[in-house]
């Protein structure tokens, strides 16, 4: 790039940092661990479906997530992920305007933050979960983000990007997030090679879209049985924290404060539904305990924290606090002490997936592999819909030197949880150890596709079909998948990689 282009890119990233979003994504930059504005999320304005086909938007989402994964620590913990997915799914189901698919994922960073990208990808930071005093407050942020997606606020951004290719658009979206959240240099790296002139296209965010996301978000909260006042309560509490710590508040918070009018408007809308007291779920408390334990750099610090809170009685839910303590002991390799805590947890809640997985992991660490396998197998048979249990069982089978059985378990999970890059990587590892080269090719292709690499995915599937002794049923499934991907590739080439090229002029 020329020096002029570099300067223009830096100017663009600077705008991203001031606006918390530039170019083509809606992004909530709430704060560091001391302050936040969970609802000043610049958005895109609504748009009709004709702006972009659903399939093109899904492809854009995959490309977007590939960039996010390369720059941000996406947390692949099955138990924490399944919790955030279950909360998000319940909110989506209560939103009558919701359509299409959603993917909820966690970012392992201590900042209070959330963002939504194309294709219904919604990222929730660990710091947000820890900052939320109630499950309804966490749900309020997620409901607001869901509303941005369901109202298609993102799509209008493409009106000004009709000459950009799908990969370039995804890079711009990722650059906006990286530039606003990580650093200007990270944003620069993400958009290297993108024309600087294209980066100057800015979206004028409207207050009406924010109000719409608030309004629909509060309605969604109430419909899912959460406290509709949680949104205003979170606004107000974090706004006060921002004022207290204003000297150290992020630039975004200094230029985009939570306004009294917005808080008042949220309170007024919540009044229409009335107050609803809802106890936090145990899974919410357990997820917070896990994230709290992970937030300490050293295991000794984590152990000391939980010993202090338990000893002083400073906790909301003792069972969750003891879970965090057991995890800290496990990380400190004090397996016998951790097992003692785990036995107490299992006795209190024998069907809780978090406790079953922890107990099995400790049994494995203590050389009790047979017991771990037996307990996990029983848990999987009793709770077949609990996919984290099956993943834990597969891990235990791999540790026991039974990759073929682990492969069967992981493939069973993949049938109900498609489009999961981490799961496909685990399947590839199990298939490699089991000597099943056809499955190696097949699921490596699926991983490539999920990550947005369509052409390499097609080539990988073609290799799978050329393998000898591929069962007829598997070959037929591979062929169907291959035909669909080839058609997708042909359609993309017709548009020249541009998701808007096939859209009618009246939609632009």
């Amino acid at each position: 790039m020329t020096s002029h282009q570099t300067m223009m890119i830096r100017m663009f990233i600077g705008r991203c940092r001031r606006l918390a979003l530039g170019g083509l994504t809606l992004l909530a930059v709430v704060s560091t661990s001391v302050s936040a504005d969970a609802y000043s999320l610049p958005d895109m304005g609504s748009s009709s479906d004709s702006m972009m086909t659903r399939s093109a938007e899904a492809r854009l989402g995959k490309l977007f997530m590939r960039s996010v994964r390369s720059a941000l620590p996406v947390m692949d913990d099955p138990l924490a992920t399944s919790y955030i997915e279950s909360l998000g799914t319940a909110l989506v189901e209560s939103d009558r305007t919701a359509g299409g698919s959603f993917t909820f994922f966690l970012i392992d960073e201590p900042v209070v933050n959330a963002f939504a990208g194309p294709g219904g990808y919604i990222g929730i930071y660990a710091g947000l979960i820890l900052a939320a005093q109630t499950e309804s407050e966490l749900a309020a942020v997620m409901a607001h983000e869901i509303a941005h997606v369901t109202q298609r606020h993102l799509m209008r951004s493409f009106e000004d990007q009709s000459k950009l290719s799908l990969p370039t658009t995804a890079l711009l979206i990722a650059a906006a997030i990286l530039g606003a959240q990580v650093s200007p240099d990270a944003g620069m790296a993400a958009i290297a090679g993108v024309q600087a002139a294209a980066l100057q296209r800015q979206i004028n965010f409207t207050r009406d879209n924010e109000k719409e996301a608030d309004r629909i978000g509060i309605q969604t909260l109430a419909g899912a049985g959460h406290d509709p006042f949680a949104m205003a309560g979170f606004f107000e509490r974090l706004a006060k924290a921002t004022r207290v710590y204003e000297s150290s508040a992020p630039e975004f918070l200094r230029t985009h404060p939570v306004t009294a009018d917005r808080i008042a408007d949220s309170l007024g809308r919540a009044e229409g539904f009335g107050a609803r007291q809802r106890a936090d779920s145990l899974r919410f408390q357990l997820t917070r305990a896990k994230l709290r334990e992970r937030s300490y750099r050293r295991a000794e610090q984590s152990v000391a924290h939980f010993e202090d809170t338990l000893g002083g009685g400073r906790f909301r839910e003792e069972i969750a606090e003891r879970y965090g303590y057991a995890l800290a002991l496990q990380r400190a390799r004090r397996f016998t002490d951790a097992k003692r805590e785990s036995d107490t947890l299992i006795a209190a809640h024998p069907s809780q997936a978090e406790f079953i997985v922890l107990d099995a992991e400790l049994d494995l660490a203590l050389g009790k592999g047979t017991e771990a396998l037996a307990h996990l197998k029983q848990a999987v048979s009793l709770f077949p819909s609990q996919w984290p249990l099956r993943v834990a069982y597969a891990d235990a089978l791999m540790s026991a030197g039974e990759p073929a059985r682990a492969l069967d378990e992981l493939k069973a999970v993949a049938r109900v949880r498609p489009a999961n890059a981490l799961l496909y990587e685990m399947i590839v590892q199990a298939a490699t150890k089991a000597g099943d080269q056809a499955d190696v090719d097949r699921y490596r292709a699926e991983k490539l596709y999920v990550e947005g690499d369509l052409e390499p995915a097609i080539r990988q599937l073609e290799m799978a079909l050329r393998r000898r002794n591929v069962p007829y049923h598997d070959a037929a499934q591979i062929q169907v998948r291959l035909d669909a991907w080839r058609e997708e590739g042909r359609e993309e080439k017709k548009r020249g990689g541009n998701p808007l090229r096939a859209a009618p002029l009246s939609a632009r």
Side-chain angles (χ1 to χ4, degrees), residues 75-87 106 283-284 286-288 290-291 323 327 351-359 361 386-392 417 422:
M75 185 176 175
D76 289 315
D77 180 270
L79 289 164
T81 299
S82 69
Y83 165 69
I84 207 70
E85 287 176 345
S86 65
L87 180 58
L106 290 167
R283 294 203 71 195
F284 170 69
L286 294 177
T287 302
R288 292 181 84 248
K290 170 173 280 193
L291 296 177
Y323 175 60
L327 291 173
S351 62
Q352 192 68 39
E354 284 83 354
F355 303 157
I356 294 171
V357 171
L358 172 62
D359 195 62
E361 289 174 347
Q386 297 258 18
W387 66 269
L389 292 176
R390 303 197 82 144
V391 172
R417 286 185 54 78
L422 173 67

Side-chain angles (χ1 to χ4, degrees), residues 168-374:
T168 299
T169 298
L171 280 172
L172 286 174
I173 293 174
I177 289 180
L178 299 180
Q181 296 184 191
V182 184
S183 71
D185 291 337
M188 287 281 290
I191 56 179
V194 178
Q195 290 295 319
L199 302 180
Q200 297 304 298
R201 305 173 189 269
Q202 297 296 311
I203 305 301
N204 294 322
F205 307 115
T206 69
R207 293 180 179 178
D208 288 343
N209 290 333
E210 279 301 294
K211 288 181 179 179
E212 183 175 45
D214 287 350
R215 173 179 59 82
I216 294 175
I218 291 172
Q219 181 177 311
T220 299
L221 269 182
H226 289 280
D227 180 9
F229 286 91
M231 186 176 288
F234 207 27
F235 276 177
E236 189 167 19
R237 179 162 56 82
L238 297 176
K240 288 179 180 178
T242 301
R243 289 194 290 271
V244 171
Y245 296 99
E246 188 165 357
S247 61
S248 61
E251 183 179 354
F252 177 80
L253 291 178
R254 293 196 295 269
T255 57
H256 296 75
V258 176
T259 65
D261 287 344
R262 191 159 188 191
I263 294 173
D265 189 53
S266 295
L267 283 170
R269 295 190 183 282
E271 288 283 358
F273 296 97
R276 299 182 183 183
Q277 296 299 320
R278 172 171 170 150
D280 295 333
S281 70
L282 179 58
R283 294 203 71 195
F284 170 69
Q285 298 291 359
L286 294 177
T287 302
R288 292 181 84 248
K290 170 173 280 193
L291 296 177
R292 179 70 67 196
E293 194 283 321
R294 290 171 64 102
S295 70
Y296 289 94
R297 183 167 298 180
R298 299 199 310 273
E300 295 77 12
Q301 293 174 312
S302 183
V303 170
H305 164 79
F306 285 102
E307 286 180 343
D308 181 57
T309 57
L310 286 167
R314 294 189 301 278
F315 47 78
R316 292 186 182 180
E317 172 60 60
E318 182 177 1
I319 199 76
E321 205 72 5
R322 291 202 171 276
Y323 175 60
Y325 183 42
L327 291 173
L329 291 168
Q330 179 188 32
R331 180 149 65 109
R333 303 189 66 79
R334 292 170 54 180
F335 299 125
T336 301
D337 293 336
K339 178 65 174 174
R340 189 180 304 113
E341 293 292 331
S342 176
D343 289 342
T344 301
L345 297 173
I346 284 285
H349 296 273
S351 62
Q352 192 68 39
E354 284 83 354
F355 303 157
I356 294 171
V357 171
L358 172 62
D359 195 62
E361 289 174 347
L362 292 171
D363 276 341
L364 287 170
L366 291 168
K368 300 177 181 179
T370 302
E371 289 91 332
L373 283 171

Side-chain angles (χ1 to χ4, degrees), residues 107-171:
I107 305 293
D108 195 9
E109 290 281 2
V111 294
V112 185
N113 200 335
F115 62 84
Y121 287 87
I122 295 179
I124 306 297
Y125 278 69
L128 175 63
I129 299 176
L130 292 174
Q133 291 186 355
T134 67
E135 192 170 30
S136 289
E137 288 187 348
L138 171 59
V141 179
M142 296 177 65
H144 182 96
E145 293 288 351
I146 290 168
H148 278 305
V149 175
T150 60
Q151 300 311 299
R152 301 184 66 76
H153 289 160
L154 183 60
M155 291 302 99
R156 180 161 294 179
S157 63
F158 293 96
E159 291 178 338
D160 197 38
Q161 306 293 342
S162 59
K163 295 181 180 180
L164 297 181
S165 69
L166 207 63
T168 299
T169 298
L171 280 172

Side-chain angles (χ1 to χ4, degrees), residues 431-457:
T432 300
K433 291 185 177 181
D436 191 334
Q437 192 58 49
D439 270 347
V440 170
D441 293 334
R442 180 179 180 180
Y443 287 98
R444 186 172 287 155
E446 291 290 352
K447 182 174 183 290
L448 287 167
Y449 179 75
V450 167
E451 292 176 338
D453 288 331
L454 179 59
E455 290 301 324

